[in-house]
Amino acid sequence: MEFAFVSGNLALDLAGTLRWRRTEPEEQLVDPAALQAWLTASGAVSEPVRVDAAALASARRLREAAYRLACDRLEARAFDPESLAIVNEASAGPATAITLGAEGRAIRRGDVRAALGDVARSVITVLTDPSGPPLKECGREACTRLYLDRSRGARRTWCGMDECGNRVKAAAYRARRRSAGGAPS
């Protein structure tokens, strides 16, 4: 499973595991093994952890709660109480233990509950940091990924160049060619 880590935040990257929410949703956390792979690939844990069906359900609930709260913030709405309860409950759990490895990398150890607790704390950090980078939703119409815009002048308009940025730019180029009377190449 290929995961995209373009959001600039662990919880926003988790929210991105349900792709194309408004059109044809694509679930990337299809089973416990996929969640285990995401946790390791994201850096939430350094070594694979045991994930069962209950942990997968918790991760999906947390993902949806984080997404809803971030959208509430984007739309300047009051936070959804149920989503707040889910995130706050997860954040009150244990944290992963972080050690410095001999090669200079952070090593994160803990169970799936600790990793999800770190994810919950990361969304709280984003939603409570008034001076942090702007929270945005991808400008590509079909994409619903949320991200932190750390670009100069906060002018980034899509979640990532590889998937959405290239497609937006290619579509704009084709539109310009059509309006100029030329055929797109």
Side-chain angles (χ1 to χ4, degrees), residues 75-86:
E75 299 295 324
R77 297 185 297 239
F79 287 137
D80 173 62
E82 184 179 338
S83 297
L84 274 175
I86 291 167

Side-chain angles (χ1 to χ4, degrees), residues 73 124-133:
R73 173 55 48 100
I124 291 171
T125 300
V126 164
L127 297 176
T128 59
D129 184 358
S131 62

Side-chain angles (χ1 to χ4, degrees), residues 72-133:
D72 288 345
R73 173 55 48 100
L74 281 172
E75 299 295 324
R77 297 185 297 239
F79 287 137
D80 173 62
E82 184 179 338
S83 297
L84 274 175
I86 291 167
V87 167
N88 288 334
E89 180 181 337
S91 73
T96 56
I98 304 171
T99 57
L100 180 61
E103 67 285 343
R105 292 183 334 157
I107 300 169
R108 295 178 177 271
R109 290 190 177 91
D111 62 9
V112 67
R113 187 167 171 245
L116 294 177
D118 288 352
V119 170
R121 287 182 283 280
S122 76
V123 77
I124 291 171
T125 300
V126 164
L127 297 176
T128 59
D129 184 358
S131 62

Side-chain angles (χ1 to χ4, degrees), residues 18-154:
L18 181 61
R19 301 173 55 187
W20 323 118
R21 289 170 182 270
R22 286 193 278 278
T23 54
E24 294 182 32
E26 178 185 316
E27 176 66 70
Q28 290 189 297
L29 301 180
V30 294
D31 57 25
L35 175 58
Q36 180 186 57
W38 184 87
L39 289 168
T40 305
S42 70
V45 291
S46 298
E47 299 170 356
V49 294
R50 184 179 178 281
V51 178
D52 58 17
L56 177 61
S58 293
R60 286 178 176 170
R61 274 193 306 277
L62 178 58
R63 174 189 67 194
E64 295 310 305
Y67 183 79
R68 174 79 187 266
L69 294 174
C71 287
D72 288 345
R73 173 55 48 100
L74 281 172
E75 299 295 324
R77 297 185 297 239
F79 287 137
D80 173 62
E82 184 179 338
S83 297
L84 274 175
I86 291 167
V87 167
N88 288 334
E89 180 181 337
S91 73
T96 56
I98 304 171
T99 57
L100 180 61
E103 67 285 343
R105 292 183 334 157
I107 300 169
R108 295 178 177 271
R109 290 190 177 91
D111 62 9
V112 67
R113 187 167 171 245
L116 294 177
D118 288 352
V119 170
R121 287 182 283 280
S122 76
V123 77
I124 291 171
T125 300
V126 164
L127 297 176
T128 59
D129 184 358
S131 62
L135 174 65
K136 294 183 176 180
E137 182 177 45
C138 184
R140 183 173 170 214
E141 192 172 315
C143 185
T144 55
R145 183 166 283 140
L146 303 171
Y147 65 94
L148 298 177
D149 185 357
R150 291 188 170 99
S151 67
R152 187 186 328 216

